Amino acid sequence: MSKAYPDVRAGTGARLRRRRRALQLTLRDVANQSGLTEGYLSQVERDQVNASVRTLQRLCGVLKLTVGDLFEQGESTASPVLRFRDTHGMSFGDGATKVKLTPGSFDHLEVLLGHFGPGGSTGVEPYTHGSSEELLLVLSGEVEVWVREQRHMLSALDSIHYHSSDPHRVVEATGSQEARILWALAPPTY
C-alpha cells in the first residue's frame, strides 16, 4: 500500500487474540463457535493470512466485537476523554436507555451508564449475556434488581454484584421518579 493509505489490517490478528484471551476462550472454543478451523484462526491471529469481511464478522460475533472495533485507532492517538455530550444512547427494555462509556478497544472492562424513566425497566423478562462479573451501582433514584429470582431494593450509592450469566432484571422502583445506574462488566459482553 502507498504511504497515503496505512495498512489497516496490521495488528488485526493481535487484537483478535487479545480479545479471545480476555474472554478466556481457546482457539478451539472460537473455532467451534465460528465454524472455522483452529489452524486457520491461528494464522489469522498471527496476521499470516488476510481474513475476508465475512470471516471477520463471524469472529467478531463470537468475540462480541464489531468489525469496526478491529480498526479503531490505538489509544495513543485517540483522546482518552469521552464527552458525555458526544455520546449516543441506545434505547432498550421499557423506558430505559444506556450509553457505553468505555471504548471498543477495551478487552477487560466495560462500563455502561443507564437511565430509567419513571417505571422504566430492562424488560419484563430476566435476561443473561455472556459470563462476565457484573457490578451495578445506583447513582440516583431507587431501583429494584432481580437476580436469580431474588428481589433487591437499592437506593443511591447502593450496589450489587452478580454474574451476567445469572438471570437478572432492573426496574425503576418508585414508578414516579427517574433512576441512573452504572454497570461495570469484566470482561465486556456488549
Side-chain angles (χ1 to χ4, degrees):
M1 289 191 165
S2 73
K3 283 190 160 229
Y5 298 98
D7 184 359
V8 294
R9 291 195 232 216
T12 301
R15 172 78 174 106
L16 290 167
R17 181 174 43 254
R18 275 195 332 271
R19 180 58 171 217
R20 175 179 60 78
R21 289 178 176 168
L23 295 176
Q24 300 177 343
L25 296 172
T26 64
L27 279 172
R28 177 172 287 163
D29 295 332
V30 176
N32 289 339
Q33 293 180 52
S34 67
L36 302 167
T37 67
E38 287 180 63
Y40 180 72
L41 291 174
S42 177
Q43 290 178 325
V44 169
E45 284 189 356
R46 290 180 284 137
D47 289 317
Q48 291 182 331
V49 296
N50 291 327
S52 69
V53 172
R54 178 63 189 130
T55 296
L56 291 176
Q57 288 174 327
R58 289 163 66 182
L59 290 173
C60 287
V62 173
L63 300 174
K64 298 181 180 13
L65 293 170
T66 67
V67 174
D69 291 337
L70 298 176
F71 304 109
E72 279 188 356
Q73 291 189 346
E75 292 170 38
S76 61
T77 59
S79 172
V81 176
L82 172 68
R83 302 282 179 210
F84 189 75
R85 68 179 177 261
D86 297 332
T87 61
H88 300 284
M90 176 181 89
S91 294
F92 72 105
D94 180 26
T97 59
K98 66 174 114 176
V99 174
K100 187 173 178 177
L101 301 177
T102 45
S105 61
F106 272 33
D107 291 318
H108 299 286
L109 174 68
E110 184 169 43
V111 179
L112 303 163
L113 177 64
H115 175 262
F116 294 83
S121 74
T122 56
V124 176
E125 296 293 321
Y127 67 101
T128 64
H129 52 95
S131 59
S132 298
E133 294 173 331
E134 188 165 340
L135 176 99
L136 181 151
L137 169 68
V138 179
L139 299 174
S140 64
E142 295 179 4
V143 295
E144 182 179 296
V145 180
W146 291 82
V147 179
R148 294 182 309 273
E149 298 182 13
Q150 289 188 327
R151 179 178 177 252
H152 307 275
M153 292 298 297
L154 283 76
S155 298
L157 302 181
D158 291 343
S159 65
I160 185 171
H161 57 88
Y162 48 90
H163 286 94
S164 61
S165 57
D166 293 332
H168 56 282
R169 167 177 190 256
V170 181
V171 179
E172 188 280 316
T174 68
S176 62
Q177 297 179 2
E178 296 181 343
R180 286 194 184 269
I181 64 172
L182 190 77
W183 285 282
L185 300 92
T189 60
Y190 286 105

